[in-house]
Amino acid sequence: MSNTPMAANPLTRAVLEIDEYVSGLGWDQPARLFALVDTARLRAQEPGLAAQLGLRDEPETTGLTPIEQEEIPAGKPLDEFLGTIAWPDAVAGCALTVERLMLPPSAEASVPEGLGEKKLTQWVAQHPDRQEVRMTVAVLRDGTRDSALRLREKDSPTEVLTGGALVPGLAEALSATFED
């Protein structure tokens, strides 16, 4: 049974469930991709899989079930990888977790000009105000979005920030996986 708190909508619940699952694996994890499927549809069309996922005895409620996909290829840029994905109709949405370093807005003014991507990454990694963050971003076919952010220094289920507009670039990239 999940310790995920009840959220206002099924997408937020799915995002928090994925965040909880990945949190249990610890930090320094690779990016993870999840298909989001309608739980009622999964029970009806794939009862064996639903039983395997522990959904057979769950109460009959509307919801989304996250199903982890194969590992994202190491060394391939995330945007290139996402550009290769096409989801079958049974998938209602998708989610991605990824860890990154981030700086507070106050550090923006001190970023040296003219740094390439590799040098900028090194600069951020050495900055004293850097923070490690795990982002879980989810989108539905209809464009609905939600995300959860967890800072490594505040690694607690009660310290997870949620919202639909927290990581707009990643949400856009995930939405593009549903375009024809």
Side-chain angles (χ1 to χ4, degrees), residues 18 20 61 114 136 144 162:
I18 293 167
E20 178 186 1
T61 59
T136 302
T144 306
T162 60

Side-chain angles (χ1 to χ4, degrees), residues 38-62:
D38 178 89
T39 303
R41 184 175 176 184
L42 178 65
R43 276 195 203 110
Q45 294 179 350
E46 298 286 341
L49 178 58
Q52 189 178 4
L53 295 172
L55 301 173
R56 184 174 43 204
D57 299 325
E58 290 287 313
E60 288 291 327
T61 59
T62 59

Side-chain angles (χ1 to χ4, degrees), residues 14-38:
V15 164
L16 290 172
E17 183 179 333
I18 293 167
D19 174 75
E20 178 186 1
Y21 163 73
V22 175
S23 175
L25 301 173
W27 284 86
D28 304 317
Q29 295 291 315
R32 295 177 185 276
L33 182 67
F34 298 83
L36 299 176
V37 296
D38 178 89

Side-chain angles (χ1 to χ4, degrees), residues 18 48 53 67 88 124 131 138 143-144 156 171:
I18 293 167
L53 295 172
I67 300 174
V124 170
Q131 293 199 18
T144 306
S156 162

Side-chain angles (χ1 to χ4, degrees), residues 66-165:
I67 300 174
E68 188 170 4
Q69 303 301 291
E70 291 183 24
E71 193 171 301
I72 296 172
K76 187 166 192 169
L78 194 54
D79 57 342
E80 286 181 24
F81 171 73
L82 291 175
T84 67
I85 295 175
W87 297 103
D89 291 341
V91 174
C94 66
L96 181 78
T97 62
V98 65
E99 295 176 14
R100 292 290 184 256
L101 292 177
M102 66 179 225
L103 294 175
S106 60
E108 260 183 57
S110 64
V111 175
E113 289 188 36
L115 291 181
E117 188 175 333
K118 189 174 182 178
K119 292 273 189 199
L120 180 60
T121 300
Q122 291 172 342
W123 184 84
V124 170
Q126 295 170 355
H127 196 283
D129 295 333
R130 75 186 177 283
Q131 293 199 18
E132 292 177 75
V133 63
R134 180 182 303 119
M135 301 174 279
T136 302
V137 180
V139 300
L140 297 179
R141 283 184 185 275
D142 68 6
T144 306
R145 303 167 175 196
D146 212 336
S147 17
L149 297 179
R150 182 187 291 247
L151 295 174
R152 189 171 192 157
E153 72 176 27
K154 294 183 178 187
D155 193 2
S156 162
T158 61
E159 296 288 336
V160 176
L161 179 65
T162 60

